[in-house]
Amino acid sequence: MPPSKGKGKGKKKGKSKKTKNRAPDATCNCILLREIIIDILSRLPVKTLLQFRCVCKPWRKLISKPNFIDTHFLHSSSLQPSTGSSPILLHTRHPESSDHLLSLVNLSHESSSVVEELDNPFPFFLQNMVVVGSCNGIVCLCQTPLGDVIILWNPAMRQSRNVPLSKSKPIIGTHSCVSIGLAYDSQKNDFLVLSIQSFGPETMIADEVEMFSTKSFSWKRVPNEMGFRTLGLSCNLVIKGVPYWTALLADAHGSREILVRFDVSKKVFDRLPIPGARLGIQGYLVNLEDSLGILMWDKTDKCNVDIWVMDDEDGWSKKCNVEMLFGFDRIIGCVRNGNIVAEDENACCSSLIW
């Protein structure tokens, strides 16, 4: 007897279902292929990446994304030995034209060489440019003293973006200056720009603080509960995405100089003491192997430098004292292995001092 129509339909349905289960998942393969491509591209040298942007539109769009740039920076940083040197961003002025010159300088005991002359994205007609700081491959530049031009710049990818100004702009005659800082929230992959408006050192009014987020692309007010007043036109230092300022804090005993840092996770300011602070002593904040350090020397004796390092648990501790054979004009920066680089005031060149 021939099979019933019901059974025939059942067999066909079962066979169709079995064939469907064996079919490849094209969506899964595309996602896997994309992840492999991203992983490979994120490990390539910058010059190769710039060439690969011309391969196709999807690659160009991918290489320009902030998440990809951040991943590429982490991979390139992990390849550098922790004891080796790292380039320093040097900001100078042309002696004749007064144009701003930005260079990546690699300094070591054996040699001193300019790695690359960088294309400055700052408009040439704005003279008062300041390098605020850098983190995760992004450099912040600003126009002083009112911070009316702020630029986030990626030198490696040759890309820059102007930060829109806040609606509450500083008022000339009311605010004496604006101090700009750069921060990075690693949890949200968000670059932050801090704008601190000062009413002037002759007043006791606390600075007003606003924060710009590249994620939300907007400004918002940050409370200044300590009531500090910054001393510089930009943050002194950025370490692992945390900006530091020297500031004045007024209390019952008068005004005293302190260090202020921005807690990126809590979005509040913390204060730190300054070690060995006394009359006639000069201090300069430096990054010592991803730790906060400060160089202290007498203004009349630039051949004797005390080096202090901050530990989150133990506070400040004096690491060593350096006796130099020559004085220096200014501190340039700190390389990855901990060497402090200064400019020789007599020879007008850069030298290692420690």
Side-chain angles (χ1 to χ4, degrees):
M1 180 181 292
S4 64
K5 292 184 179 181
K7 289 183 179 180
K9 287 183 178 180
K11 285 184 179 181
K12 288 183 180 180
K13 187 176 181 181
K15 185 176 181 180
S16 175
K17 186 176 181 181
K18 189 174 182 179
T19 304
K20 186 178 180 180
N21 287 340
R22 289 183 176 179
D25 191 339
T27 304
C28 181
N29 289 340
C30 289
I31 294 175
L32 181 60
L33 179 60
R34 177 178 170 81
E35 293 298 323
I36 294 174
I37 291 175
I38 292 175
D39 185 62
I40 293 174
L41 292 178
S42 66
R43 300 174 188 275
L44 296 178
V46 172
K47 290 184 178 180
T48 305
L49 272 182
L50 294 178
Q51 295 174 350
F52 279 12
R53 289 190 302 178
C54 302
V55 172
C56 59
K57 289 183 179 180
W59 280 26
R60 183 179 182 87
K61 186 177 180 181
L62 169 66
I63 293 171
S64 302
K65 284 186 175 181
N67 287 344
F68 176 84
I69 294 174
D70 186 48
T71 303
H72 181 270
F73 177 80
L74 293 176
H75 284 164
S76 60
S77 299
S78 64
L79 295 177
Q80 298 179 7
S82 59
T83 56
S85 62
S86 58
I88 295 174
L89 180 61
L90 179 62
H91 174 210
T92 56
R93 301 292 294 274
H94 193 280
E96 296 180 0
S97 64
S98 296
D99 289 341
H100 297 274
L101 302 177
L102 294 170
S103 309
L104 280 180
V105 181
N106 196 357
L107 294 149
S108 65
H109 287 288
E110 292 78 19
S111 63
S112 172
S113 60
V114 175
V115 176
E116 185 180 1
E117 293 290 341
L118 303 174
D119 295 328
N120 182 10
F122 209 78
F124 70 92
F125 53 85
L126 297 175
Q127 293 297 317
N128 300 323
M129 185 190 78
V130 171
V131 178
V132 174
S134 64
C135 60
N136 284 33
I138 301 298
V139 180
C140 182
L141 308 171
C142 81
Q143 162 89 346
T144 61
L146 295 179
D148 46 359
V149 177
I150 305 172
I151 294 177
L152 294 180
W153 172 43
N154 187 326
M157 302 301 293
R158 300 174 188 174
Q159 294 179 340
S160 62
R161 173 190 292 183
N162 281 59
V163 175
L165 299 181
S166 169
K167 293 182 179 179
S168 58
K169 298 179 181 179
I171 303 172
I172 299 177
T174 302
H175 299 96
S176 63
C177 65
V178 175
S179 184
I180 302 297
L182 175 68
Y184 177 67
D185 188 342
S186 59
Q187 299 296 323
K188 299 179 180 180
N189 189 25
D190 190 11
F191 287 93
L192 309 171
V193 176
L194 283 302
S195 175
I196 305 178
Q197 299 180 4
S198 174
F199 290 91
E202 67 281 354
T203 69
M204 299 300 290
I205 304 175
D207 291 351
E208 295 179 344
V209 185
E210 284 190 304
M211 180 185 70
F212 175 80
S213 164
T214 56
K215 205 83 170 180
S216 63
F217 210 72
S218 62
W219 290 89
K220 71 175 183 179
R221 181 65 61 89
V222 176
N224 180 0
E225 297 179 353
M226 278 192 293
F228 64 83
R229 291 171 289 148
T230 54
L231 294 176
L233 297 176
S234 67
C235 60
N236 300 68
L237 194 66
V238 182
I239 301 179
K240 293 190 291 187
V242 178
Y244 294 81
W245 283 265
T246 53
L248 287 177
L249 184 64
D251 56 17
H253 304 285
S255 296
R256 68 181 185 277
E257 193 171 329
I258 61 169
L259 295 180
V260 172
R261 67 180 174 189
F262 183 67
D263 189 320
V264 178
S265 59
K266 298 179 181 178
K267 304 297 185 294
V268 295
F269 287 91
D270 297 329
R271 65 179 177 181
L272 300 170
I274 298 179
R278 60 183 187 275
L279 191 63
I281 296 297
Q282 186 78 27
Y284 188 90
L285 294 181
V286 291
N287 183 342
L288 290 174
E289 299 175 303
D290 285 338
S291 295
L292 176 63
I294 188 170
L295 309 183
M296 306 291 293
W297 66 89
D298 194 303
K299 292 181 180 179
T300 59
D301 179 17
K302 291 185 177 180
C303 294
N304 220 319
V305 180
D306 292 332
I307 300 177
W308 296 72
V309 179
M310 163 63 76
D311 184 89
D312 291 336
E313 296 182 1
D314 301 329
W316 288 103
S317 61
K318 185 176 177 180
K319 191 168 185 177
C320 64
N321 174 268
V322 178
E323 293 184 3
M324 300 166 53
L325 298 177
F326 54 85
F328 58 89
D329 184 44
R330 63 167 176 154
I331 303 295
I332 294 177
C334 177
V335 294
R336 188 180 296 274
N337 60 8
N339 285 331
I340 307 299
V341 183
E343 188 175 67
D344 187 343
E345 59 186 0
N346 296 318
C348 295
C349 62
S350 301
S351 306
L352 290 170
I353 66 171
W354 174 70

